């Protein structure tokens, strides 16, 4: 029997929970206890000498705290262990230069979340086409929106399973993010054409073959008017608050409604990005993008008192537009989706791609007439066309000239497994 290479793929799937009021209170309590556990660990870490900061000592301190403080028992023991491991992993990332040092988590500045490290505790079942049921420790059976097939049931391959989950609360309510692991055949090399991509503000995604992907406003006119009304109401109520006075419940309620509308806009933007990047990775085998340093692009232009910046308001508006398009998230989606479909993703240097003529290759002053039009000022050329289309053609040309900064995208999120018979992958 022929053999084929199987790869282990790990990904996440997020679904909306339908919690009853009592279940919502229990989940909120667990999230507050998880945050408290983190803060207690951080305080313990600062008090202990270096030679005492070990995982075993921290585990003993957590167990003692759960015995001494009653309300800490609301968090399951496995979730408390997950907080401990995450805290130590954060310090490890800090020592290796990948993250900042951990700090205390504030009540209103921290995303409420609870980890469920054991997948066997979830006991997921599908009720019907739209809903499923999941078991949350110390909360009970909860319904969730079934929008993607999950590896559950007796007929599922044992290699395909849910390894854990995480409960996350945003402005729209509680959600559950499943950690899914599957074993599947390695994708065959994508035979699609090559394409260069230019990202922008006016045209979010422009391809070198002339295709463009655009979107409108994420909120309807009615929702935008409502958001503006709520922001004005919040500013007015904030003016009447005395210095040092606690925020009123009415103002908190207004802030919650503002956050709900913004979360709705972000969810629609994410959906558009997922659909667009999926369509691109299915159609093209080689995708070339610019290596943008977005953090430098969105820096403030205020300057200093001695040397103030120019056109600060215009730069601030541009920074908001760049951040709203989330170019980095688009590249991240393209990276793992190209690997899943057998394609490759390359990055090329970004300087000069928007000023260079894609027809003659010369950079002449004033060729970029506007945000949308490019007209080459070279007398021997005179090519004119869409500026974003011109930039995407330059991006692809740099790759074909061998100026790619990174090789094939690898198998992002995919780990190679041993050779097994195809029958085991069913």
């Amino acid at each position: 029997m022929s053999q084929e290479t199987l790869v282990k793929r790990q990904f996440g799937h997020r679904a909306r929970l339908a919690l009853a009021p009592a279940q919502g209170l229990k989940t909120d309590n667990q999230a507050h206890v998880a945050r408290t556990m983190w803060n207690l660990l951080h305080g313990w870490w600062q008090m202990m000498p270096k030679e005492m900061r070990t995982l075993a000592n921290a585990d003993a301190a957590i167990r003692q705290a759960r015995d001494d403080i009653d309300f800490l028992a609301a968090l399951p023991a496995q979730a408390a262990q997950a907080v401990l491991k995450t805290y130590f992993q954060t310090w490890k990332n800090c020592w290796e230069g990948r993250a900042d040092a951990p700090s205390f988590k504030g009540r209103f500045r921290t995303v409420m979340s609870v980890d469920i490290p054991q997948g066997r505790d979830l006991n997921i079942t599908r009720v019907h086409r739209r809903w499923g049921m999941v078991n949350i420790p110390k909360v009970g059976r909860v319904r969730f929106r079934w929008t993607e097939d999950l590896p559950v049931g007796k007929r599922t391959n044992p290699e395909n399973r849910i390894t854990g989950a995480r409960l996350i609360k945003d402005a729209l309510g509680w959600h559950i993010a499943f950690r899914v692991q599957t074993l599947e055949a390695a994708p065959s090399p994508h035979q699609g054409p090559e394409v260069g991509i230019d990202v922008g503000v006016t045209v979010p995604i422009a391809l070198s073959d002339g295709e463009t992907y655009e979107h409108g406003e994420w909120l309807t006119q009615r929702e935008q008017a409502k958001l503006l009304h709520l922001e004005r109401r919040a500013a007015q109520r904030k003016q009447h608050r005395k210095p040092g006075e606690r925020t009123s419940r009415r103002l908190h309620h207004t802030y919650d409604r503002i956050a709900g509308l913004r979360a709705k806009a972000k969810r629609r933007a994410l959906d558009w990005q997922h659909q667009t990047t999926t369509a691109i990775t299915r159609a093209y085998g080689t995708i070339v993008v610019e290596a943008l340093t977005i953090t430098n692009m969105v820096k403030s232009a205020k300057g200093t008192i001695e040397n103030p910046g120019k056109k600060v308001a215009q730069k601030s508006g541009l920074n908001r537009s760049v951040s709203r398009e989330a170019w980095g998230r688009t590249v991240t989606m393209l990276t793992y989706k190209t690997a899943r479909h057998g394609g490759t993703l390359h990055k090329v240097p970004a300087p000069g791609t928007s000023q260079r003529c894609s027809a003659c290759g010369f950079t002449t002053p004033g060729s970029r007439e506007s945000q949308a039009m490019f007209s080459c000022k070279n007398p021997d050329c005179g090519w004119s066309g869409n500026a974003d289309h011109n930039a995407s053609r330059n991006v692809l040309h740099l790759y074909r000239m061998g100026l790619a900064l990174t090789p094939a995208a690898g198998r992002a999120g995919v780990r190679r497994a041993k050779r097994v018979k195809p029958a085991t992958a069913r």
Side-chain angles (χ1 to χ4, degrees), residues 156-167:
T156 306
N157 185 348
E159 296 290 343
N160 301 338
R161 64 184 187 274
I162 296 177
T163 59
R166 190 171 188 83
L167 305 178

Side-chain angles (χ1 to χ4, degrees), residues 57-334:
N57 291 339
D59 180 61
I62 281 183
R63 295 177 185 274
Q64 184 64 37
R66 287 174 63 87
D67 293 337
D68 296 340
I69 306 174
D70 294 336
F71 80 93
L72 294 182
L75 186 68
Q78 294 291 341
Q81 292 295 319
V83 174
L84 172 62
K85 293 179 181 178
T86 303
Y87 183 81
F88 270 74
Q89 183 62 40
T90 305
W91 272 115
K92 183 177 180 181
N93 295 339
C94 175
W95 295 330
E96 296 177 358
R98 297 196 302 267
D100 296 331
S103 59
F104 280 95
K105 292 187 176 182
R107 180 181 179 91
F108 298 108
R109 294 182 288 106
T110 305
V111 177
M112 297 179 65
S113 62
V114 180
D115 196 76
I116 306 176
Q118 300 293 339
R120 61 174 179 266
D121 296 337
L122 298 173
N123 192 18
I124 301 172
T125 57
R126 186 169 187 176
V127 179
H128 51 76
R129 184 171 64 89
R130 292 180 178 272
W131 294 94
M133 296 289 290
V134 60
N135 182 67
I136 299 178
K138 293 195 174 184
V139 175
R141 300 290 290 174
V142 180
R143 291 194 307 162
F144 69 93
R145 287 285 293 176
W146 190 285
T147 56
E148 182 175 334
D149 288 335
L150 298 173
V152 296
K154 297 181 179 180
R155 297 183 180 180
T156 306
N157 185 348
E159 296 290 343
N160 301 338
R161 64 184 187 274
I162 296 177
T163 59
R166 190 171 188 83
L167 305 178
I168 305 170
K169 187 177 184 180
D170 61 8
L172 299 178
W174 278 100
H175 299 76
I176 183 168
F178 297 105
R179 294 189 287 268
V180 187
Q181 175 180 297
T182 60
L183 188 67
E184 55 190 36
S188 57
H190 201 301
Q191 302 300 325
E194 301 171 343
V195 67
I197 296 180
D198 175 70
V199 293
V201 176
T202 305
V203 179
I205 297 178
L207 307 186
S208 56
D209 58 2
E211 185 77 18
T212 59
Y213 292 89
E214 303 181 37
H215 60 76
E217 296 291 338
W218 301 125
L219 296 176
T220 64
Q221 292 185 354
R222 185 175 181 179
E223 290 170 338
Q224 291 179 17
K226 185 178 180 180
L227 177 61
L228 180 61
H229 172 71
L230 291 173
E231 289 176 342
R232 289 177 175 175
R233 179 188 294 178
Q236 183 180 12
R237 288 177 175 172
K238 190 176 180 180
Q239 287 179 350
H240 295 284
R241 188 179 62 179
K242 299 178 181 179
E245 185 181 359
R246 295 185 61 180
T247 304
S248 64
R249 291 187 178 182
R250 286 186 177 182
L251 185 55
H252 271 306
H253 181 63
T254 305
Y255 285 151
D256 292 341
R257 296 178 66 184
I258 293 173
L261 286 172
R262 291 177 177 172
K264 184 181 292 186
K266 182 179 179 180
R267 179 172 297 182
R268 291 171 181 171
L270 274 171
D271 181 66
W272 180 85
Q273 281 185 305
H274 274 294
Q275 294 189 30
T276 302
T277 52
T278 299
I280 293 174
T281 53
R282 286 178 177 175
Y284 302 96
T286 302
I287 299 174
V288 188
V289 298
E290 297 174 290
L292 298 173
T293 308
I294 302 175
T295 54
N296 294 338
M297 297 175 64
V298 296
K299 283 185 177 180
S300 176
K302 286 184 177 180
T304 61
I305 298 178
E306 296 78 10
N307 187 18
K310 298 180 180 179
K311 297 183 179 181
V312 178
Q314 293 89 329
K315 184 62 169 63
S316 177
L318 178 61
N319 291 348
R320 286 194 296 268
S321 300
V322 171
S323 301
R324 188 161 47 242
E325 293 300 330
W327 295 338
R329 190 167 61 204
T330 299
V331 174
T332 300
M333 292 181 181
L334 288 172

